[in-house]
Amino acid sequence: RERKEKRMEDLEGFLTNASASIQGKKKSYDSAWESVIEADEKLAGKEGETTGFFSIHAGFGGKSAADIAKKTLRAHFKHRPNTDSTNSKQVACALEEAILETQQDIYSHWRETNIVHGSHSTVVLVRDGYVHCANMGNGAAVICRAEGDVGLLSEKDRRLDEVEAPRVKTYGLDWEDEFILIGCDSFWTTMSPQQAVAVTRAALHKYQDVEHAAQRLIFAAQLNGASRNLSVSIILLNANCAYGQQQVNEFDSRPTSPARKILSGPLFSPTLKRISRREVMSDTSSTYSSDAGSSRGLRRSMNTGVPKPPKVFLPRGVNSPSTCR
């Protein structure tokens, strides 16, 4: 039987997303987030037609830098000459240049107002079977692969207002990849990547709703001790897999593009503990029970020897930071 050519855009629920945020003990909410999906009419019906731009900006010392980043970063990226390139390295370079332009906007605001604010910013761009991730500060982005395998897309760096040479990392996507999760800096102080993915998968499997899953993830962070402002975003890559309905559907187990790098191989170093499937299922029961003891059960399950995020987030397998030259 003739095999049909498939695109990432054809996956069920591709780039369906939801964000959730809550104000902590601070007097004001100092974060901003953005989720934009655009279609290129010139590529209608071809892979790369759809572009997803997602970001979370957590203000440092105030909200002004986060607001500037939300307002200008994507605009700067769209005006770069390589934005529409089919070359993934050129797209990554365009994003790096847009980050530096946004930094100059922040500096201009400093000079005009004499108010010095910063931003912990994490940006994820999905296009043409690739995910490009830039992280400035203590935020992070992770990917949930087949069967709940966790891949770390970002590493810690200096804040957006401090970084000298932003690094955009590019990874290839697989048909079985379930979702991408972005969290602000304060979210990762109480949740490890493994915990966050486990809670998200449990919510998606039970409620079949990405918005509800984002809200549950915020709730889980609070139960685990988070007291500051929190922001998270969940971006589905394959809804059938994310909701636990089926694995590969009618798609091949590997993308057809030979240029696409597949994240494969071991993720964790020998010193890190991996959450087992049994622990994931226990998170499901303790998180979503309506009885009075559910909060205590979740808190216990999240404080039993699970490691905190490492100081440098190591990607799973192939890691290809771009160089703009």
Side-chain angles (χ1 to χ4, degrees), residues 114-139:
N114 290 323
I115 298 176
V116 178
H117 291 169
S119 176
H120 296 272
S121 298
T122 304
V123 181
V124 170
L125 177 71
V126 181
R127 178 198 285 174
D128 195 22
Y130 290 95
V131 54
H132 308 274
C133 182
N135 186 64
M136 291 73 65
N138 296 334

mmCIF file of all heavy atoms in Angstrom, residues 114-139:
data_model
loop_
_atom_site.group_PDB
_atom_site.id
_atom_site.type_symbol
_atom_site.label_atom_id
_atom_site.label_comp_id
_atom_site.label_asym_id
_atom_site.label_seq_id
_atom_site.Cartn_x
_atom_site.Cartn_y
_atom_site.Cartn_z
ATOM 1 N N ASN A 114 15.179 55.702 34.360
ATOM 2 C CA ASN A 114 16.065 55.456 35.508
ATOM 3 C C ASN A 114 15.550 54.319 36.395
ATOM 4 O O ASN A 114 15.827 54.278 37.595
ATOM 5 C CB ASN A 114 16.235 56.722 36.348
ATOM 6 C CG ASN A 114 17.051 57.776 35.628
ATOM 7 O OD1 ASN A 114 18.004 57.466 34.921
ATOM 8 N ND2 ASN A 114 16.661 59.041 35.799
ATOM 9 N N ILE A 115 14.777 53.431 35.808
ATOM 10 C CA ILE A 115 14.274 52.248 36.514
ATOM 11 C C ILE A 115 14.933 51.019 35.901
ATOM 12 O O ILE A 115 14.808 50.773 34.692
ATOM 13 C CB ILE A 115 12.742 52.131 36.405
ATOM 14 C CG1 ILE A 115 12.070 53.338 37.061
ATOM 15 C CG2 ILE A 115 12.256 50.841 37.048
ATOM 16 C CD1 ILE A 115 10.555 53.339 36.906
ATOM 17 N N VAL A 116 15.648 50.265 36.711
ATOM 18 C CA VAL A 116 16.392 49.104 36.223
ATOM 19 C C VAL A 116 15.640 47.830 36.593
ATOM 20 O O VAL A 116 15.593 47.450 37.763
ATOM 21 C CB VAL A 116 17.821 49.074 36.800
ATOM 22 C CG1 VAL A 116 18.563 47.836 36.308
ATOM 23 C CG2 VAL A 116 18.569 50.339 36.416
ATOM 24 N N HIS A 117 15.026 47.214 35.603
ATOM 25 C CA HIS A 117 14.333 45.941 35.773
ATOM 26 C C HIS A 117 14.947 44.910 34.836
ATOM 27 O O HIS A 117 15.538 45.269 33.816
ATOM 28 C CB HIS A 117 12.843 46.081 35.448
ATOM 29 C CG HIS A 117 12.088 46.900 36.448
ATOM 30 N ND1 HIS A 117 10.793 47.325 36.234
ATOM 31 C CD2 HIS A 117 12.442 47.381 37.662
ATOM 32 C CE1 HIS A 117 10.379 48.035 37.270
ATOM 33 N NE2 HIS A 117 11.359 48.084 38.146
ATOM 34 N N GLY A 118 14.801 43.631 35.183
ATOM 35 C CA GLY A 118 15.294 42.555 34.334
ATOM 36 C C GLY A 118 14.205 41.533 34.067
ATOM 37 O O GLY A 118 13.052 41.685 34.491
ATOM 38 N N SER A 119 14.570 40.459 33.358
ATOM 39 C CA SER A 119 13.583 39.432 33.017
ATOM 40 C C SER A 119 14.248 38.069 32.857
ATOM 41 O O SER A 119 15.276 37.948 32.192
ATOM 42 C CB SER A 119 12.858 39.804 31.720
ATOM 43 O OG SER A 119 11.972 38.777 31.318
ATOM 44 N N HIS A 120 13.644 37.068 33.499
ATOM 45 C CA HIS A 120 13.980 35.667 33.233
ATOM 46 C C HIS A 120 13.064 35.224 32.096
ATOM 47 O O HIS A 120 11.850 35.088 32.280
ATOM 48 C CB HIS A 120 13.737 34.794 34.467
ATOM 49 C CG HIS A 120 14.610 35.139 35.637
ATOM 50 N ND1 HIS A 120 15.854 34.584 35.826
ATOM 51 C CD2 HIS A 120 14.411 35.993 36.683
ATOM 52 C CE1 HIS A 120 16.386 35.075 36.944
ATOM 53 N NE2 HIS A 120 15.532 35.923 37.475
ATOM 54 N N SER A 121 13.616 35.014 30.919
ATOM 55 C CA SER A 121 12.800 34.762 29.731
ATOM 56 C C SER A 121 13.132 33.415 29.093
ATOM 57 O O SER A 121 14.307 33.083 28.915
ATOM 58 C CB SER A 121 13.011 35.869 28.692
ATOM 59 O OG SER A 121 12.608 37.128 29.205
ATOM 60 N N THR A 122 12.089 32.673 28.750
ATOM 61 C CA THR A 122 12.230 31.414 28.025
ATOM 62 C C THR A 122 11.356 31.484 26.785
ATOM 63 O O THR A 122 10.166 31.795 26.873
ATOM 64 C CB THR A 122 11.793 30.216 28.887
ATOM 65 O OG1 THR A 122 12.540 30.224 30.112
ATOM 66 C CG2 THR A 122 12.048 28.907 28.158
ATOM 67 N N VAL A 123 11.957 31.213 25.631
ATOM 68 C CA VAL A 123 11.263 31.326 24.347
ATOM 69 C C VAL A 123 11.348 29.989 23.615
ATOM 70 O O VAL A 123 12.419 29.381 23.541
ATOM 71 C CB VAL A 123 11.887 32.436 23.470
ATOM 72 C CG1 VAL A 123 11.130 32.559 22.152
ATOM 73 C CG2 VAL A 123 11.903 33.767 24.212
ATOM 74 N N VAL A 124 10.219 29.542 23.090
ATOM 75 C CA VAL A 124 10.156 28.303 22.314
ATOM 76 C C VAL A 124 9.499 28.608 20.976
ATOM 77 O O VAL A 124 8.413 29.185 20.927
ATOM 78 C CB VAL A 124 9.368 27.212 23.058
ATOM 79 C CG1 VAL A 124 9.094 26.018 22.134
ATOM 80 C CG2 VAL A 124 10.125 26.754 24.294
ATOM 81 N N LEU A 125 10.175 28.221 19.888
ATOM 82 C CA LEU A 125 9.664 28.402 18.533
ATOM 83 C C LEU A 125 9.558 27.031 17.875
ATOM 84 O O LEU A 125 10.537 26.293 17.821
ATOM 85 C CB LEU A 125 10.599 29.305 17.729
ATOM 86 C CG LEU A 125 10.245 29.541 16.256
ATOM 87 C CD1 LEU A 125 9.016 30.426 16.140
ATOM 88 C CD2 LEU A 125 11.419 30.186 15.521
ATOM 89 N N VAL A 126 8.369 26.683 17.389
ATOM 90 C CA VAL A 126 8.134 25.387 16.746
ATOM 91 C C VAL A 126 7.798 25.630 15.281
ATOM 92 O O VAL A 126 6.849 26.361 14.961
ATOM 93 C CB VAL A 126 6.993 24.617 17.426
ATOM 94 C CG1 VAL A 126 6.779 23.263 16.741
ATOM 95 C CG2 VAL A 126 7.278 24.429 18.910
ATOM 96 N N ARG A 127 8.595 25.010 14.399
ATOM 97 C CA ARG A 127 8.351 25.160 12.960
ATOM 98 C C ARG A 127 9.073 24.065 12.175
ATOM 99 O O ARG A 127 10.203 23.696 12.511
ATOM 100 C CB ARG A 127 8.823 26.519 12.464
ATOM 101 C CG ARG A 127 8.625 26.697 10.942
ATOM 102 C CD ARG A 127 9.445 27.808 10.380
ATOM 103 N NE ARG A 127 8.884 29.091 10.738
ATOM 104 C CZ ARG A 127 9.496 30.261 10.466
ATOM 105 N NH1 ARG A 127 10.659 30.274 9.873
ATOM 106 N NH2 ARG A 127 8.935 31.389 10.820
ATOM 107 N N ASP A 128 8.419 23.588 11.137
ATOM 108 C CA ASP A 128 9.049 22.707 10.160
ATOM 109 C C ASP A 128 9.665 21.461 10.798
ATOM 110 O O ASP A 128 10.720 20.986 10.387
ATOM 111 C CB ASP A 128 10.106 23.492 9.384
ATOM 112 C CG ASP A 128 10.547 22.772 8.115
ATOM 113 O OD1 ASP A 128 9.766 21.923 7.632
ATOM 114 O OD2 ASP A 128 11.652 23.041 7.623
ATOM 115 N N GLY A 129 9.010 20.921 11.827
ATOM 116 C CA GLY A 129 9.520 19.723 12.465
ATOM 117 C C GLY A 129 10.650 19.947 13.437
ATOM 118 O O GLY A 129 11.273 18.997 13.904
ATOM 119 N N TYR A 130 10.950 21.212 13.752
ATOM 120 C CA TYR A 130 12.007 21.543 14.704
ATOM 121 C C TYR A 130 11.427 22.367 15.848
ATOM 122 O O TYR A 130 10.431 23.081 15.683
ATOM 123 C CB TYR A 130 13.115 22.368 14.042
ATOM 124 C CG TYR A 130 13.967 21.609 13.056
ATOM 125 C CD1 TYR A 130 13.681 21.643 11.689
ATOM 126 C CD2 TYR A 130 15.060 20.858 13.482
ATOM 127 C CE1 TYR A 130 14.464 20.954 10.774
ATOM 128 C CE2 TYR A 130 15.844 20.171 12.578
ATOM 129 C CZ TYR A 130 15.546 20.217 11.227
ATOM 130 O OH TYR A 130 16.317 19.529 10.329
ATOM 131 N N VAL A 131 12.092 22.286 16.995
ATOM 132 C CA VAL A 131 11.799 23.176 18.107
ATOM 133 C C VAL A 131 13.074 23.946 18.429
ATOM 134 O O VAL A 131 14.141 23.358 18.613
ATOM 135 C CB VAL A 131 11.273 22.413 19.345
ATOM 136 C CG1 VAL A 131 12.208 21.294 19.761
ATOM 137 C CG2 VAL A 131 11.052 23.380 20.505
ATOM 138 N N HIS A 132 12.976 25.272 18.439
ATOM 139 C CA HIS A 132 14.087 26.155 18.779
ATOM 140 C C HIS A 132 13.810 26.730 20.165
ATOM 141 O O HIS A 132 12.711 27.251 20.405
ATOM 142 C CB HIS A 132 14.217 27.293 17.764
ATOM 143 C CG HIS A 132 14.270 26.842 16.333
ATOM 144 N ND1 HIS A 132 15.443 26.472 15.716
ATOM 145 C CD2 HIS A 132 13.287 26.681 15.405
ATOM 146 C CE1 HIS A 132 15.194 26.121 14.459
ATOM 147 N NE2 HIS A 132 13.892 26.243 14.256
ATOM 148 N N CYS A 133 14.773 26.641 21.041
ATOM 149 C CA CYS A 133 14.567 27.090 22.422
ATOM 150 C C CYS A 133 15.696 28.014 22.848
ATOM 151 O O CYS A 133 16.877 27.698 22.683
ATOM 152 C CB CYS A 133 14.497 25.894 23.370
ATOM 153 S SG CYS A 133 14.182 26.362 25.092
ATOM 154 N N ALA A 134 15.321 29.167 23.401
ATOM 155 C CA ALA A 134 16.281 30.115 23.965
ATOM 156 C C ALA A 134 15.877 30.380 25.404
ATOM 157 O O ALA A 134 14.689 30.624 25.687
ATOM 158 C CB ALA A 134 16.294 31.417 23.168
ATOM 159 N N ASN A 135 16.839 30.334 26.295
ATOM 160 C CA ASN A 135 16.548 30.581 27.706
ATOM 161 C C ASN A 135 17.534 31.592 28.263
ATOM 162 O O ASN A 135 18.743 31.437 28.152
ATOM 163 C CB ASN A 135 16.629 29.280 28.507
ATOM 164 C CG ASN A 135 16.195 29.475 29.943
ATOM 165 O OD1 ASN A 135 15.039 29.805 30.199
ATOM 166 N ND2 ASN A 135 17.106 29.296 30.886
ATOM 167 N N MET A 136 16.996 32.633 28.860
ATOM 168 C CA MET A 136 17.795 33.673 29.504
ATOM 169 C C MET A 136 17.325 33.788 30.949
ATOM 170 O O MET A 136 16.252 34.318 31.209
ATOM 171 C CB MET A 136 17.642 35.015 28.783
ATOM 172 C CG MET A 136 18.266 35.061 27.381
ATOM 173 S SD MET A 136 17.334 34.129 26.138
ATOM 174 C CE MET A 136 15.796 35.056 26.082
ATOM 175 N N GLY A 137 18.109 33.261 31.875
ATOM 176 C CA GLY A 137 17.717 33.300 33.277
ATOM 177 C C GLY A 137 17.489 31.913 33.821
ATOM 178 O O GLY A 137 18.050 30.920 33.342
ATOM 179 N N ASN A 138 16.601 31.799 34.815
ATOM 180 C CA ASN A 138 16.387 30.544 35.529
ATOM 181 C C ASN A 138 15.110 29.825 35.131
ATOM 182 O O ASN A 138 14.707 28.872 35.802
ATOM 183 C CB ASN A 138 16.373 30.810 37.043
ATOM 184 C CG ASN A 138 17.708 31.318 37.540
ATOM 185 O OD1 ASN A 138 18.750 31.049 36.937
ATOM 186 N ND2 ASN A 138 17.702 32.073 38.625
ATOM 187 N N GLY A 139 14.449 30.282 34.084
ATOM 188 C CA GLY A 139 13.313 29.533 33.574
ATOM 189 C C GLY A 139 13.804 28.299 32.829
ATOM 190 O O GLY A 139 15.003 28.052 32.718
#
